[in-house]
Amino acid sequence: MGYLGLNADEFWESQYNELAMCYHAYRDKRDAQIKHDYNLARWQTFMLLQPHIDSKKGNMKNPTDLVKFDWDDTKVIPLNTNLSEEQKKIIEKMDKAVFTAGDQFDDLVTIGKKQEKGIYGK
């Protein structure tokens, strides 16, 4: 339904956590597209201004000198951080829960498609 692209049966047969995961995935995709578009516009503007910028002064050497966005300062947490055994177990439980919920959602979609096929004869 709506932006998530679910039909009515999929929507009403889904549990809250499944809909929440769909929404978060949609939101992440939308945010990534917005960031891409803004970064592209910033880069294009930077390239258009290049002939008019005095490079000897060193005012603008890259697009982030022209416009700085909030996401430019985000720090990436390295994957090799030292985690305790308890933290590793918690992460494993969370991963299993996410994959299980995803599998359940896939099963629901498959069942919904089979039921729809049976009802409409497609």
Side-chain angles (χ1 to χ4, degrees):
M1 296 183 78
Y3 294 115
L4 296 179
L6 300 174
N7 65 32
D9 291 333
E10 292 169 344
F11 177 78
W12 289 113
E13 292 175 4
S14 298
Q15 294 180 3
Y16 175 77
N17 62 343
E18 295 167 340
L19 291 173
M21 286 188 334
C22 288
Y23 171 72
H24 289 297
Y26 164 76
R27 187 187 64 197
D28 291 345
K29 181 181 176 185
R30 183 198 63 202
D31 290 349
Q33 183 63 46
I34 289 170
K35 287 179 184 180
H36 174 268
D37 293 345
Y38 274 88
N39 283 329
L40 181 62
R42 175 174 57 182
W43 179 79
Q44 287 175 332
T45 304
F46 177 74
M47 295 307 285
L48 287 169
L49 290 174
Q50 279 301 306
H52 309 287
I53 296 173
D54 186 6
S55 61
K56 293 179 183 175
K57 291 183 180 178
N59 295 346
M60 280 192 266
K61 295 190 179 198
N62 58 37
T64 55
D65 295 336
L66 178 65
V67 177
K68 195 162 197 150
F69 297 124
D70 293 340
W71 58 81
D72 290 335
D73 292 332
T74 56
K75 295 180 181 177
V76 177
I77 300 172
L79 293 176
N80 60 356
T81 55
N82 297 327
L83 300 174
S84 69
E85 289 300 317
E86 183 179 345
Q87 291 171 327
K88 289 178 183 178
K89 288 179 183 177
I90 291 171
I91 291 172
E92 287 176 14
K93 282 183 182 179
M94 291 172 64
D95 284 343
K96 286 179 185 177
V98 168
F99 287 118
T100 302
D103 291 341
Q104 289 173 351
F105 183 75
D106 291 343
D107 293 342
L108 285 174
V109 171
T110 303
I111 290 169
K113 287 181 180 177
K114 287 179 182 177
Q115 288 175 350
E116 185 177 308
K117 193 174 188 179
I119 293 170
Y120 299 111
K122 293 179 184 177

